[in-house]
């Protein structure tokens, strides 16, 4: 089928890629339901997908990846630019031509005997000033069906691109799923992404991490906007007005749960409602009102299954009851699914994520329990199925952001919450974000991994330039979000978490939003503003005064050691590290005495 587009350069590119990959057929996707049914039937017949129990899980499908292909492969992910310093020091780099040359060998004839699907997609609502369009060529039906969920996909995107419009050229082939020949290559100077020999979502749903973060961060720097690894959340007050926050956390810090937070019992009387506008990525632009406005470029969630339960995230559990693609979870004998931390007791028998028979007492050769679901098993679900989805989720204008929240996992050091003094200091706070290993290292010096803005694996260019872009955005936006840092993971002397987390995090968001409105005072400390103890509403919560004091404690000695770590990190960024952030570090040291 020929594509319904007059875009001659697009036709020429599809032809050129097809000459290299040599598929038997080319299919231009229109995004229709009929197409979905046909592709699903085809994938079921080859075993690429398995149909789940349609009574229990209507519209749901199951997929297993190759055993060597269960997570993003950062070591095989490259930013290919002409000048090395445009991509380094955090990214892997290759010269542009060398990147293409290496991959051409892997793509050569990789689609022989297969269909090449041409997938037109939009990140951001089609027609929105935020939207960026892409075409992904792929030989995987699993990818096509996931792209249908994760992006706005179909003929309307080709119409929006028109005869001359820009689009990101994305090429993916499973090839032989050979780990040695796996590459995830970004060519920001050509608005191009090439991914080969993988079938794992984060490596192959090219709209997500590759376009919406790595390429988009580059476009944002060039065009004066921001692409960030942030959830977007609305808190509705009893008078129906809604204030929006965007928050960034490294993985395994409860980002999806925060995006879908359920107000705790004790705060219910206040009548708050929480609305989810995004769970992973935010694109931000200066609005006419002088504030920063955000859209979620994605249309779906690609969430981690293990640990998702009716108690940690009831909204997500309800969302995945239908029209969901499950990857690498445990397949139950009744055609439903299960994972560790699901809430329901494990089934007596099932097939694990590798396809082997599984029982709950299964042990490996070292006597350790065998996981039924891979630790990074996933579900792909339309965000509109989330019961608390915001009605602004596909508003082309986005939502105005009052606060940015950054956080990591710190057993000590960082208080429950603090506020930066201004944008420049906030940029410093975000740039020095880190997570440390938890229980095992407690009491020793835990291994601290710096993950500025939770963007370390996703900035498509030089990290020093990225920090500079943040500083410049602050100068450009008359009324920018206030910047906060939270730590839900602080532990006491017995190694116990002091803060309950989950829904109770709304108590902290309440203070954050009150600060944004100027409704509440704070205590000034060397690291920023912290709440007065009485200003966090603890109604119905069993957290004593002494625990709150410890949660807010700032140990100057530990902060001085932290400053040494930050200095080392900043120096490692090299010449392009902005002086303003070294100045911030110097003033923090001075305030610490
Ligand atoms: C994700 C990630 O999958 O951050 O969202 O790795
Ligand atoms: Mn993410």
């Amino acid at each position: 089928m020929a594509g319904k587009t007059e875009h001659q350069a697009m036709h020429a590119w599809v032809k050129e890629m097809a000459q290299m990959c040599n598929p038997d057929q080319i299919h231009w996707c229109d995004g229709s339901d009929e197409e979905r049914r046909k592709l699903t039937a085809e994938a079921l017949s080859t075993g690429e997908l398995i149909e789940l129990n349609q009574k229990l899980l209507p519209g749901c499908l199951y997929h297993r990846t190759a055993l060597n292909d269960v997570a993003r492969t950062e070591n095989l992910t490259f930013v290919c630019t002409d000048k090395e310093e445009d991509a380094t020091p955090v990214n892997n780099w290759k010269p542009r031509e060398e990147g293409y040359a290496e991959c051409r060998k892997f793509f050569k004839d990789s689609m022989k005997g297969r269909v090449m699907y041409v997938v037109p997609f939009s990140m951001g609502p089609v027609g929105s000033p935020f939207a960026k369009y892409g075409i992904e060529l792929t030989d995987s039906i699993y990818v096509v069906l996931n792209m249908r969920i994760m992006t706005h996909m179909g003929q309307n995107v080709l119409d929006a691109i028109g005869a001359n419009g820009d689009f990101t050229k994305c090429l993916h082939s499973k090839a032989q799923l050979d780990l040695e020949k796996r590459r995830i290559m970004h060519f920001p100077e050509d608005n191009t992404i090439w991914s080969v020999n993988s079938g794992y979502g984060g490596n192959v749903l090219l709209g997500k991490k590759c376009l919406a973060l790595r390429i988009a961060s580059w476009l944002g720097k060039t065009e004066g906007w921001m692409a960030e690894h942030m959830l977007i959340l609305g808190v509705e007050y009893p008078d129906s007005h809604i204030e929006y926050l965007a928050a960034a956390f490294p993985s395994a810090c409860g980002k999806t749960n925060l995006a879908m937070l359920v107000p705790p019992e004790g705060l219910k009387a206040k009548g708050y409602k929480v609305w989810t506008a995004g769970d992973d990525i935010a694109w931000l632009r200066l609005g006419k009102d002088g504030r920063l406005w955000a859209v979620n470029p994605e249309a779906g969630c690609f969430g981690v299954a293990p640990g998702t339960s009716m108690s940690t995230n009831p909204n997500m559990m309800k969302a995945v009851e239908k029209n969901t693609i499950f990857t690498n979870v445990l397949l139950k004998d009744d055609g439903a699914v299960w994972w560790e931390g699901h809430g329901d007791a494990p089934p007596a028998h099932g097939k694990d994520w590798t396809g082997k028979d599984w029982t709950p007492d299964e042990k490996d050769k070292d006597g350790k329990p065998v996981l039924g679901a891979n630790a990074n098993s996933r579900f792909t679900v339309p965000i509109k199925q989330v019961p608390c989805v915001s009605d602004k989720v596909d508003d082309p204008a986005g939502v105005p952001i009052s606060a940015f929240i950054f956080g990591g996992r710190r057993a000590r050091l960082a208080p429950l919450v603090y506020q930066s003094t201004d944008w420049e200091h906030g940029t410093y706070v975000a740039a020095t974000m880190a997570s440390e290993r938890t229980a095992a290292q407690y009491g020793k010096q835990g291994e601290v991994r710096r993950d500025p803005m939770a963007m370390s694996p996703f900035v498509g260019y030089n990290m020093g330039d990225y920090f500079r872009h943040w500083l410049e955005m602050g100068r450009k936006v008359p009324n920018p979000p206030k910047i906060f840092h939270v730590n839900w993971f602080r532990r006491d002397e017995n190694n116990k978490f002091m803060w309950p987390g989950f829904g109770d995090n709304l108590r902290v968001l309440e203070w954050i939003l009150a600060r944004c409105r100027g409704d509440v005072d704070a205590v000034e400390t060397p690291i920023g503003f912290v709440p007065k103890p009485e200003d966090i509403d603890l109604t119905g919560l069993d957290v004593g005064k002494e625990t709150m004091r410890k949660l807010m404690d700032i140990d100057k000695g530990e902060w001085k050691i932290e400053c040494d770590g930050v200095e080392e990190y900043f120096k490692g960024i090299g010449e392009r590290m902005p002086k303003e952030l070294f100045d911030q570090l110097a003033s923090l040291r001075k305030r610490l005495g």
Side-chain angles (χ1 to χ4, degrees), residues 499-510:
W499 182 250
F502 298 103
D504 287 303
N505 294 337
L506 182 59
R507 301 170 192 276
V508 175
L509 303 189
E510 188 185 32

Side-chain angles (χ1 to χ4, degrees), residues 245 258 261 267 405 415-418 484-488 499 501-515 531 535-538 548 551-552:
L245 309 153
L258 183 67
L261 175 153
L267 281 199
I405 304 176
L416 178 62
V417 56
Y418 67 102
F484 297 80
H485 187 281
V486 299
N487 178 18
W488 315 133
W499 182 250
F502 298 103
D504 287 303
N505 294 337
L506 182 59
R507 301 170 192 276
V508 175
L509 303 189
E510 188 185 32
W511 180 79
I512 286 175
L513 289 171
R515 285 294 294 166
D535 287 336
I536 300 269
D537 186 341
L538 298 177
M548 280 313 276
L551 275 164
M552 295 301 180

Side-chain angles (χ1 to χ4, degrees), residues 72 200 208-209 229 251 280 302 378 458:
R72 285 186 291 105
Y200 169 73
K208 192 176 178 65
K209 302 300 186 183
H229 192 195
S251 56
D280 197 37
F302 181 62
R378 299 273 176 157
F458 305 121

Side-chain angles (χ1 to χ4, degrees), residues 59 107 136 144 152 164 190 249 263 268 270 287 406 469 476 517 519 540-541:
F107 278 114
E136 178 161 349
V144 179
H152 309 266
N164 299 302
D190 304 328
F249 299 88
K268 280 227 172 100
K270 287 185 166 169
F406 293 96
H469 180 50
K476 223 169 82 172
R517 291 190 305 270
D519 282 357
L541 191 62

